[in-house]
C-alpha cells in the first residue's frame, strides 16, 4: 500500500492525496539537497510554499509512486550535466564553451572564472552568462581533452 498518492488533475497540476483522503493541489516537489543527495530529502510543497509532506528517501517509495515524484522533480529542475567539453573559444574570459550534456549538445558563454564553483573534490557547478547552471558530476571521470580544457580555468 502506498503511503500517499500523487497524481495529475485535469489541468496538469500535481495533486497529493493523503491516506485520509485529503487532496491538496497544486503541489510542487523540491529536493533538499539536489547535488549532494538527490534521492534523500524531498519536500512536497503547496502553492503557498508550505511543506505538506516530507519524503525521507525516494528509494523507500514503491516504484510507481517514486516514478511520479521523480517526474514532478524533473519538470521543475533544470541542471544539465556536462559529459564532455568539445571546445572553448578562448582561455581568457569571457569565452564560449561547446559542450555535450546529458540533454544534448549546446554552447554557452562563461563570463568569468568565478562562475566555476567546486562543490566537492570532483563536482563542479558552472553558471553561464544567461544564468543557467551546469554540473560536472565527476571531473576525474571525464575524458583527457575535457580535463585539459577545464584545468585552464581552475
Amino acid at each position: 500500500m502506498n503511503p500517499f498518492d500523487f497524481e495529475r488533475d485535469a489541468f496538469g497540476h500535481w495533486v497529493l492525496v493523503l491516506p485520509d483522503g485529503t487532496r491538496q493541489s497544486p503541489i510542487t516537489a523540491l529536493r533538499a539537497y539536489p547535488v549532494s543527495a538527490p534521492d534523500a530529502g524531498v519536500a512536497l510543497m503547496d502553492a503557498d510554499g508550505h511543506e505538506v509532506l516530507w519524503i525521507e528517501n525516494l528509494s523507500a517509495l514503491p516504484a510507481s509512486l517514486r516514478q511520479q515524484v521523480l517526474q514532478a522533480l524533473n519538470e521543475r529542475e533544470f541542471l544539465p550535466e556536462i559529459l564532455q567539453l568539445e571546445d572553448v573559444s578562448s582561455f581568457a574570459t569571457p569565452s564560449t564553451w561547446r559542450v555535450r550534456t546529458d540533454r544534448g549538445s549546446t554552447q554557452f558563454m562563461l563570463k568569468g572564472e568565478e562562475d566555476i564553483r567546486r562543490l566537492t573534490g570532483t563536482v563542479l557547478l558552472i553558471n553561464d552568462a544567461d544564468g543557467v547552471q551546469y554540473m560536472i558530476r565527476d571531473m576525474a571521470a571525464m575524458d583527457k581533452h575535457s580535463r585539459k580544457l577545464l584545468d585552464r580555468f581552475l
Side-chain angles (χ1 to χ4, degrees):
M1 175 150 179
N2 289 346
F4 60 91
D5 285 322
F6 199 51
E7 58 195 37
R8 287 194 185 273
D9 65 11
F11 301 105
H13 299 126
W14 287 102
V15 179
L16 173 66
V17 183
L18 297 172
D20 67 0
T22 305
R23 299 174 66 86
Q24 297 215 3
S25 177
I27 294 292
T28 303
L30 298 168
R31 293 181 203 265
Y33 307 103
V35 175
S36 61
D39 291 334
V42 174
L44 299 182
M45 313 287 281
D46 67 14
D48 296 323
H50 298 112
E51 182 181 306
V52 179
L53 184 79
W54 177 256
I55 302 168
E56 192 67 39
N57 196 330
L58 285 175
S59 63
L61 296 177
S64 61
L65 185 56
R66 181 173 52 247
Q67 282 305 114
Q68 290 172 309
V69 173
L70 285 171
Q71 183 179 351
L73 287 165
N74 290 335
E75 288 171 4
R76 186 177 187 288
E77 298 172 343
F78 184 72
L79 185 65
E81 181 179 344
I82 296 175
L83 304 173
Q84 180 181 30
L85 272 71
E86 296 173 349
D87 187 46
V88 174
S89 67
S90 167
F91 293 119
T93 53
S95 61
T96 302
W97 290 30
R98 282 190 317 110
V99 298
R100 187 172 54 86
T101 74
D102 60 340
R103 297 172 186 246
S105 294
T106 191
Q107 68 179 25
F108 61 86
M109 180 173 291
L110 182 73
K111 291 186 297 186
E113 293 172 3
E114 66 276 1
D115 291 326
I116 302 174
R117 292 189 323 217
R118 187 179 300 266
L119 299 180
T120 66
T122 61
V123 179
L124 301 175
L125 197 60
I126 301 171
N127 293 319
D128 77 1
D130 296 320
V132 176
Q133 291 187 331
Y134 296 85
M135 177 190 291
I136 296 177
R137 196 167 297 279
D138 187 359
M139 188 174 75
M142 296 182 84
D143 64 278
K144 184 177 179 179
H145 176 71
S146 297
R147 288 192 316 266
K148 184 177 177 182
L149 291 174
L150 271 172
D151 285 342
R152 299 272 191 139
F153 291 92
L154 297 176

